[in-house]
Amino acid sequence: MPRIARQEKPLPADRLTIRLDLASGARIGPGKVALLEAIARHGSISAAGRELRMSYRRAWDLVEALNKALGTSVVSTATGGAGGGGATLTAAGAAVVAEYRAIEREAHAIAAPRIAAMLHLPGT
């Protein structure tokens, strides 16, 4: 059986990662926001967890951490059964995603020229 050559992974682009550290001690970053986005796509916490390679328990714990940090539910759930269960983002959950992504876009726009400048310092 012939061996298939490994494809080289492209190098990651220079990037800026945003994490919000709230006064309450809670954190909102790319992982929690990606989880909310996956829940919105799949309509399920367990399916979102599978997509992100995390257990249902870990996904649920992250949702609960957001609920506690924000003082409101970010996900609305329906228990399973004959009609099936499911999960959807609440208005608060959708707002968290929208505001985080807006902060991220604005920060990237401001940081991009400075990152480029760092990569082209004299003597490098």
Side-chain angles (χ1 to χ4, degrees):
M1 177 179 238
R3 293 188 79 169
I4 298 173
R6 280 187 168 177
Q7 289 189 355
E8 294 294 319
K9 290 183 181 179
L11 293 174
D14 300 319
R15 64 185 184 150
L16 174 68
T17 302
I18 304 295
R19 184 183 76 197
L20 307 174
D21 294 325
L22 305 179
S24 66
R27 296 176 174 167
I28 300 174
K32 288 177 183 161
V33 172
L35 176 61
L36 291 178
E37 291 170 327
I39 290 168
R41 270 192 307 280
H42 294 288
S44 164
I45 294 172
S46 59
R50 282 192 299 274
E51 177 187 321
L52 299 173
R53 296 187 172 146
M54 68 176 69
S55 69
Y56 173 81
R57 174 63 186 227
R58 176 74 177 138
W60 181 252
D61 286 346
L62 291 174
V63 168
E64 284 296 307
L66 281 169
N67 291 343
K68 183 178 177 186
L70 300 172
T72 189
S73 294
V74 294
V75 173
S76 175
T77 59
T79 55
T88 57
L89 296 188
T90 63
V96 166
V97 172
E99 293 300 332
Y100 178 87
R101 292 301 183 200
I103 291 167
E104 189 176 57
R105 278 189 306 278
E106 291 172 19
H108 282 270
I110 292 168
R114 295 197 177 270
I115 292 170
M118 277 194 292
L119 297 175
H120 297 95
L121 294 172
T124 59

